[in-house]
Amino acid sequence: MFLRNTIGANTITNAAALIKTNEELNSSAREVDDKLVCLPCHDSMGIPICAACHKPIEGRCATGLKKKWHMEHFVCAYCEKPFNEHPYFEKKGLAYCELHYNQIFGDNCFICGSLISVDCIKFEMKKYCPHHFECCLCSKLLGNDLKTNLESAYDASFDIPRIWDFYGLLLAPSLKDQLSLSNLYSVSGDLRENEVAHVWIGSILQVAKKLFTSDQIYQLWLLSKLNWQMFFPENTSVDEIEDFVTEFGLEFTLNLKSSPEKLSLQSAEIHLKDMLSSGSSNTEIIEWIETKLEHHLFTKEFIRLITKVVCNLFYSKSVKSEAESYMEDRISILKKYIDNNESYMLQALFALQLLDTELQHPPQKLAHLFFQIHDKDLILEKVFLDWENSKEEECGKGVAVKSIKQFLVWLKEPDNNSESE
């Protein structure tokens, strides 16, 4: 504990208190075993210092995140309640209690709210337990029930010749949000055994062609890391596979040479969002951009796209420190392509204005993001003011400007830089 402010003369001259240095004690002295110790001597005694308050720990000590803490200072980053020797869960250098770690990073069912330990089903930005992902009209289970359903599909195909077309109509729309091609492969075991899996997946992709662009389907195919041989019987020749794929109009899925020459920005957005959310490194993302989007680089549309997809995940972080940590990790991608160009900076701000509008202006998010990109020297102060006065992009502008009023007031103060120093 810190000493009381007043230290009596008799106490100061107590020889037992002057352990090593013979320094005159003052209010920075410490008390150890009823003896007074100057600050340098105290530091040399190896008494742990709390990582939160930076004061000595003279009692029970909590250890976590490779640091020492007062028991009352080692708390959940979300609810700020002490762990009190209960387990904690670490994420990007922060500690969370089990409840809030699961709420923020876990998969919680949209229906029951419980943590989904296995077989999480995702649909329309929501997550479901397998037994809660069901039709609201007939209560028939969807999603993971597909595997059970497919086990009888082969036998049913003799009575229902167009059954594979029906599966295409049923499943193709779900490729956008809930199902991936990898999911479909994982439930197709019975169809592969009966040598009809290629017809099934081909029918699904045929319908998908009418719902999405070829570019989008091609990207989904690449992300799945599947190939047609996986759906065909083992001894099927390459020529037979190519003939089937061409007949179904899906030849662009065969290899890189037959893929579209130029990837659309719409398809690129899907792929980049997946790379960012799956934790791909900045180097991997930049390499993909340089390879796939060479013809789009440094256009107004590209700058808006890369700003939108990078900052979209910032909006999804419910914990402020998590959002800041994410931006710290990803800011180098934006810096590479904005490249200190004021015109690109302005387009980036337009992109954030439109993103905030698309997400219906979540409270405080745009202001928080503007402070972040200012502090990280992504956007010049002059460009923020140019954006405020610009008439180029009016959609959502009024609400956006109002939501960052505090930031703009701070920015216009002539001494805001000197104060921060």
Side-chain angles (χ1 to χ4, degrees), residues 60 62 69-88 95-98:
R60 295 177 65 201
W69 315 75
H70 285 112
M71 295 295 292
E72 64 273 19
H73 289 161
F74 188 41
V75 300
C76 171
Y78 185 85
C79 65
E80 298 185 349
K81 292 183 178 179
F83 293 111
N84 291 329
E85 299 184 352
H86 290 293
Y88 71 90
Y96 297 87
C97 64
E98 183 174 7

Side-chain angles (χ1 to χ4, degrees), residues 170-225:
L170 174 68
L171 298 175
S174 298
L175 290 176
K176 182 179 180 181
D177 295 300
Q178 187 254 325
L179 288 174
S180 69
L181 290 171
S182 297
N183 294 146
L184 293 179
Y185 177 78
S186 67
V187 299
S188 66
D190 190 74
L191 300 183
R192 282 180 272 130
E193 288 180 12
N194 289 294
E195 301 185 351
V196 293
H198 59 292
V199 181
W200 176 70
I201 195 68
S203 300
I204 294 171
L205 293 180
Q206 261 193 329
V207 176
K209 273 185 63 178
K210 299 175 183 179
L211 304 176
F212 316 112
T213 66
S214 295
D215 285 345
Q216 289 174 312
I217 300 172
Y218 176 66
Q219 288 306 309
L220 293 173
W221 186 258
L222 283 182
L223 288 172
S224 70
K225 298 182 180 179

